[in-house]
Amino acid sequence: MIKSTLNTKKGKKMAITQNQIVSIEYEVRDGDTVVDSNMGGTPLVFMFGKGQIIPGLENGIKDMSIGDKADILVKPADAYGEYNEEATQVVPKEQFAGIDLEKGMTLYGQGEDGSTVQVVVKEIGENEVTIDFNHPLAGKELMFTVAINNIREATAEEAMTGVPEENKPAEDDGCCGTGGGTGCGCH
């Protein structure tokens, strides 16, 4: 379901194509709850067609142009997947020594392949903790309000790396890239 306000230039509508750099502002809601937004802030910049945003949102904006705004409903299968009841694990509580556990809190750990894994504390027992590996938005229909700020062709380097210029780290200023100058503690 896409409801949009389209501003077409000279009646000509161009679809966003693979490898173009797209800049958007968005707000995402789960029912009446805003779960994320960059409206009025720094736009999200990504390379279209590279899986850098959820598939349902990418598909929903493909026919939009600069200046267009739309509400896009994304089903769970095209967002963070269906909720998987089996994606939980019971772990000895001692593995969380030094952490003040609370039900619903998000923790980050290292997966078997070395990648970062996000889990949510589902239950806290006397000796065990149940953790949930589902994304917090798994199983949810999400409503995105999206505004297209810019669409441009990728440079040769961006096309090769998949990283838009806007997302590259700042030039090294001699201080770990933090911009803190000589007072940043890494000299």
Side-chain angles (χ1 to χ4, degrees):
M1 172 185 138
I2 300 175
K3 180 180 85 181
S4 63
T5 321
L6 300 176
N7 304 320
T8 56
K9 308 273 189 266
K10 299 177 187 165
K12 197 172 185 183
K13 188 95 173 101
M14 299 291 292
I16 300 171
T17 59
Q18 186 87 3
N19 295 339
Q20 284 186 313
I21 305 298
V22 181
S23 170
I24 65 172
E25 287 186 44
Y26 67 90
E27 177 180 273
V28 60
R29 294 178 308 281
D30 171 17
D32 292 332
T33 305
V34 175
V35 294
D36 193 17
S37 176
N38 72 347
M39 290 291 191
T42 304
L44 173 65
V45 181
F46 61 95
M47 183 175 284
F48 190 84
K50 294 292 187 186
Q52 296 175 353
I53 63 172
I54 61 172
L57 180 57
E58 191 166 65
N59 188 50
I61 69 167
K62 71 179 185 233
D63 293 323
M64 294 175 69
S65 297
I66 296 170
D68 288 353
K69 293 183 170 110
D71 288 331
I72 302 168
L73 182 65
V74 179
K75 301 284 187 187
D78 293 322
Y80 297 99
E82 297 296 339
Y83 187 85
N84 179 356
E85 293 288 341
E86 296 176 12
T88 61
Q89 183 177 358
V90 177
V91 181
K93 195 171 186 178
E94 63 207 31
Q95 288 190 13
F96 300 95
I99 299 174
D100 189 16
L101 290 175
E102 293 179 30
K103 186 175 178 179
M105 78 185 304
T106 301
L107 299 172
Y108 297 90
Q110 190 170 8
E112 293 176 11
D113 63 355
S115 65
T116 300
V117 177
Q118 175 182 322
V119 298
V120 174
V121 176
K122 193 169 183 176
E123 297 290 332
I124 303 170
E126 193 162 322
N127 298 313
E128 299 174 327
V129 176
T130 303
I131 54 175
D132 186 346
F133 288 89
N134 286 289
H135 188 282
L137 296 174
K140 310 238 181 197
E141 275 191 0
L142 303 173
M143 177 60 77
F144 285 83
T145 299
V146 181
I148 306 292
N149 291 0
N150 196 25
I151 302 167
R152 65 175 177 78
E153 295 302 320
T155 64
E157 182 181 348
E158 288 170 329
M160 186 176 69
T161 65
V163 180
E165 189 65 37
E166 296 86 341
N167 296 347
K168 289 188 178 176
E171 288 295 316
D172 185 12
D173 65 358
C175 192
C176 313
T178 61
T182 58
C184 72
C186 63
H187 36 116

